[in-house]
Amino acid sequence: MSMRITLTVNGEKISGEVEPRTHLADFLREQLRLTSIHLGCEHGVCGACTILIDGEPGRSCIALAATLDGATITTLEGMKDDSLMQRLKDSFHEEHGLQCGFCTPGMLVSSWDLLNRKGKIDEKTIRCDMSGNLCRCTGYQGIVRSIKAVADTLPEK
């Protein structure tokens, strides 16, 4: 039995049919073709599927699409014109904060949220607050440097 949901996804109102058990990540990837959502663990542990749900970071692999009717969803694709996100992307490139790229969309969305909330922060805060996003390739050094480089340009909050 499917049900109809309506979401605002990256600023656009979208309606679709979902089964009650359909995860938001699957709806976004399969029906809307938003491929920045990566499915790693499918248990909400790795952070590869991190998006913004009503402005807060959330794991789309454990969120049921049917429970989010009316929600506002922002994926990495929806942040393409955001200046802070562009600075983070540039920094990830310059500081070698990515390798295979699988974790990168979730890392970018999470670090964008972190910097929006806290502004100029130290390395310890970055490491602590980003600990919910796992990377199997980089050893985190480049990721932390990337976020810190942008954080250093922000005012303290």
Side-chain angles (χ1 to χ4, degrees):
M1 154 177 82
S2 65
M3 60 183 293
R4 188 152 196 77
I5 62 167
T6 301
L7 303 169
T8 302
V9 180
N10 298 331
E12 184 179 343
K13 198 167 209 159
I14 304 285
S15 292
E17 295 288 325
V18 297
E19 295 293 322
R21 68 179 178 275
T22 302
H23 291 107
L24 181 60
D26 295 327
F27 176 74
L28 295 171
R29 283 187 63 83
E30 294 171 16
Q31 290 192 33
L32 303 184
R33 302 290 186 228
L34 296 170
T35 57
S36 72
I37 296 98
H38 293 172
L39 293 168
C41 67
E42 298 191 52
H43 294 284
V45 175
C46 75
C49 68
T50 303
I51 59 170
L52 299 178
I53 302 171
D54 290 331
E56 299 288 327
R59 308 295 198 202
S60 61
C61 74
I62 57 173
L64 295 175
T67 67
L68 294 168
D69 187 36
T72 298
I73 306 299
T74 306
T75 68
L76 184 60
E77 290 93 344
M79 303 172 94
K80 68 180 189 273
D81 296 327
D82 184 90
S83 63
L84 177 59
M85 181 54 76
Q86 188 57 53
R87 290 166 56 201
L88 280 165
K89 287 178 183 178
D90 292 344
S91 188
F92 267 65
H93 175 75
E94 293 161 7
E95 299 292 336
H96 307 285
L98 53 91
Q99 194 164 339
C100 82
F102 191 81
C103 71
T104 305
M107 289 283 185
L108 286 168
V109 171
S110 294
S111 60
W112 179 90
D113 174 70
L114 172 62
L115 295 180
N116 260 332
R117 284 184 295 109
K118 295 190 176 180
K120 187 174 191 163
I121 51 176
D122 60 19
E123 183 178 322
K124 182 179 177 184
T125 302
I126 293 168
R127 287 184 179 280
C128 181
D129 285 24
M130 291 297 294
S131 65
N133 289 75
L134 305 180
C135 176
R136 295 180 178 164
C137 301
T138 66
Y140 301 98
Q141 300 301 323
I143 293 168
V144 172
R145 272 195 321 269
S146 301
I147 298 166
K148 181 82 166 84
V150 176
D152 286 346
T153 68
L154 300 174
E156 292 186 31
K157 291 192 175 188

